[in-house]
């Protein structure tokens, strides 16, 4: 037993024991990031993409106070249907949910924590949380950034969500020593869109190069995470003007309605989706697929190094 509160799915445990590639996936993107039933459909497709690319998927969540590294399809359906009724579990919620025996959807932060507990080194998602616009006043900075600073998991995403303050998010990551890599580009992608006009730290062009960079990070003993930003494929990228005006409107409504704290991100994602008539959801789904594929290939390349 690795940990009193952790359940590792048997298939995932077997793969890890044999040194095979495993990719973690989060559950907040299912429960709070997308509407039902597209969320469950996306989650199941993501697992299939991971398998098709030679790795074992481990969707992470909290069920009845158990930290689950590898949810069953029934558990994914359950969290997807429950949606925002399930607790959005960040680092500060873990102990209480375990003690009370409750359910929780894991964010990037808690997915990294549980993946690391189980021995999983790669994690694919959509976009990480970051420094919110207006954080100079609100102090709203996602716990995802702090977790990247401390937990040695490679997170493959499409950049920080465009609803954030991207320049400040990069500053924060720099302060905390988190490497930000662009895949096939030196430019930081902007989640729904390809371009942000900002620079990543380094460009890597193949899964093998990414695996080598992460291996070096681990061997040096830096004990921190690493952020791979993978641009959304051009055919699925959203129109920049449409997205930016939808984001501005959603931010205005958020301020008018006094939405704060953990409710900010789910609110903004849902409003942007409604305002764009679902275009942003379509982009969101496809960028996750693209990240799942890269994460699986990188995990496979890493497993060959050892
Ligand atoms: N990326 C998505 N959709 C999401 C999220 C990320 O494409 O719903 C979630 C992740 O779980 C991330 C969280 O950790 O939003 C960030 O929330 P906050 O800004 O409250 O830290
Ligand atoms: Mn926040």
């Amino acid at each position: 037993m690795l940990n009193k509160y952790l359940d590792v799915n048997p298939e995932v445990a077997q793969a890890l024991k044999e040194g095979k590639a495993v990719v973690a996936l989060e559950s907040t993107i299912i429960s709070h990031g997308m509407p039902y039933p597209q969320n469950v459909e996306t989650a199941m497709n993501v697992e299939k993409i991971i398998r098709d690319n030679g790795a074992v998927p481990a969707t992470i969540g909290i069920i009845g106070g158990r930290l689950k590294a590898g949810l069953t399809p029934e558990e994914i359906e359950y969290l997807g249907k429950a949606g925002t009724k399930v607790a959005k579990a960040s680092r500060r919620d873990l102990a209480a949910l375990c003690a009370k025996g409750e359910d929780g959807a894991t964010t990037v932060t808690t997915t990294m924590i549980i993946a690391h507990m189980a021995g999983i080194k790669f994690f694919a998602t959509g976009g990480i949380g970051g420094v919110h616009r207006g954080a100079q006043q609100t102090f709203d900075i996602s716990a995802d950034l702090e977790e990247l600073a401390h937990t040695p998991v490679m997170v493959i995403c499409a950049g920080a969500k465009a609803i954030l303050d991207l320049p400040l998010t990069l500053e924060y990551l720099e302060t905390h020593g988190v490497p930000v890599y662009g895949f096939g580009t030196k430019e930081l992608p902007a989640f729904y869109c390809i371009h942000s006009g900002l620079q990543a730290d380094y460009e890597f062009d193949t899964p093998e190069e990414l695996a080598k960079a992460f291996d070096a990070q681990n061997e040096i003993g830096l004990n921190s995470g690493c952020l791979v930003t993978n641009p959304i494929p051009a055919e699925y990228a959203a129109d920049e003007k449409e997205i930016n005006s939808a984001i501005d409107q959603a931010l205005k409504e958020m301020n008018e309605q006094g939405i704060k704290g953990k409710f900010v991100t789910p609110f903004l994602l849902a409003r942007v989706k409604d305002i764009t008539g679902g275009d942003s959801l379509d982009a969101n789904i496809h960028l996750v697929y693209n990240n799942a594929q890269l994460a699986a290939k990188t995990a496979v390349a890493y497993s060959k190094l050892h």
Side-chain angles (χ1 to χ4, degrees):
M1 193 173 65
L2 284 169
N3 184 287
K4 190 173 161 185
Y5 290 98
L6 176 69
D7 292 333
V8 183
N9 169 300
E11 186 197 2
V12 172
Q14 185 65 26
L16 288 168
K17 206 175 121 201
E18 292 170 9
K20 291 198 180 134
V22 178
V23 174
L25 301 157
E26 61 157 309
S27 46
T28 291
I29 191 174
I30 305 172
S31 59
H32 293 67
M34 292 181 192
Y36 182 80
Q38 288 99 326
N39 57 357
V40 172
E41 199 186 296
T42 303
M44 298 317 299
N45 287 340
V46 167
E47 290 212 345
K48 182 169 186 303
I49 291 168
I50 304 269
R51 286 185 196 284
D52 289 348
N53 286 279
V56 173
T59 301
I60 290 182
I62 306 166
I63 305 282
R66 304 293 305 168
L67 309 178
K68 299 272 183 192
L71 295 173
T72 63
E74 294 72 32
E75 288 166 335
I76 290 175
E77 170 79 23
Y78 163 70
L79 288 178
K81 241 185 190 160
T84 53
K85 286 196 220 69
V86 172
K88 176 178 161 188
S90 194
R91 177 176 264 273
R92 68 168 177 189
D93 305 295
L94 277 187
L97 292 175
C98 286
K100 286 176 179 283
E102 290 180 7
D103 302 328
T106 53
T107 62
V108 167
T109 299
T110 39
T111 303
M112 289 179 76
I113 294 171
I114 297 168
H116 181 56
M117 284 170 79
I120 303 169
K121 293 191 169 67
F122 298 87
F123 163 22
T125 186
I128 59 159
V131 179
H132 281 268
R133 300 190 195 176
Q136 296 91 332
Q137 294 299 323
T138 63
F139 269 47
D140 191 350
I141 299 173
S142 177
D144 294 353
L145 301 183
E146 200 64 28
E147 206 59 49
L148 279 160
H150 300 301
T151 304
V153 170
M154 176 179 263
V155 179
I156 292 100
C157 69
K161 283 187 279 281
I163 55 174
L164 302 164
D165 187 320
L166 297 182
L168 290 190
T169 300
L170 281 182
E171 290 292 352
Y172 195 98
L173 290 167
E174 185 202 359
T175 300
H176 292 272
V178 178
V180 178
Y181 300 148
F183 185 69
T185 174
K186 183 88 200 288
E187 186 184 0
L188 182 82
F191 196 64
Y192 303 119
C193 304
I194 296 173
H195 302 289
S196 70
L198 298 164
Q199 295 289 296
D201 299 326
Y202 295 91
E203 173 179 342
F204 289 103
D205 299 316
T206 64
E208 290 71 27
E209 286 171 29
L210 285 175
K212 201 172 167 193
F214 193 50
D215 186 54
Q217 184 172 334
N218 292 332
E219 291 295 328
I220 296 165
L222 293 175
N223 265 318
S224 54
C226 161
L227 192 64
V228 175
T229 62
N230 185 27
I232 182 171
E235 64 266 41
Y236 299 114
D239 181 73
E240 260 175 69
K241 272 209 189 104
E242 188 196 9
I243 281 290
N244 288 333
S245 95
I247 289 172
D248 288 343
Q249 189 185 327
L251 284 165
K252 188 166 158 267
E253 292 175 12
M254 177 191 87
N255 290 326
E256 282 164 5
Q257 295 176 35
I259 311 257
K260 292 198 171 73
K262 69 200 287 186
F263 303 105
V264 165
T265 297
F267 175 85
L268 289 174
L269 289 173
R271 282 304 291 144
V272 169
K273 175 200 141 256
D274 289 341
I275 297 165
T276 60
D279 287 359
S280 71
L281 178 61
D282 199 48
N284 198 343
I285 290 171
H286 283 95
L287 64 85
V288 175
Y289 293 164
N290 189 46
N291 297 338
Q293 187 178 39
L294 179 60
K297 287 182 175 163
T298 306
V300 168
Y302 188 92
S303 71
K304 290 184 182 152
L305 293 174
H306 292 263

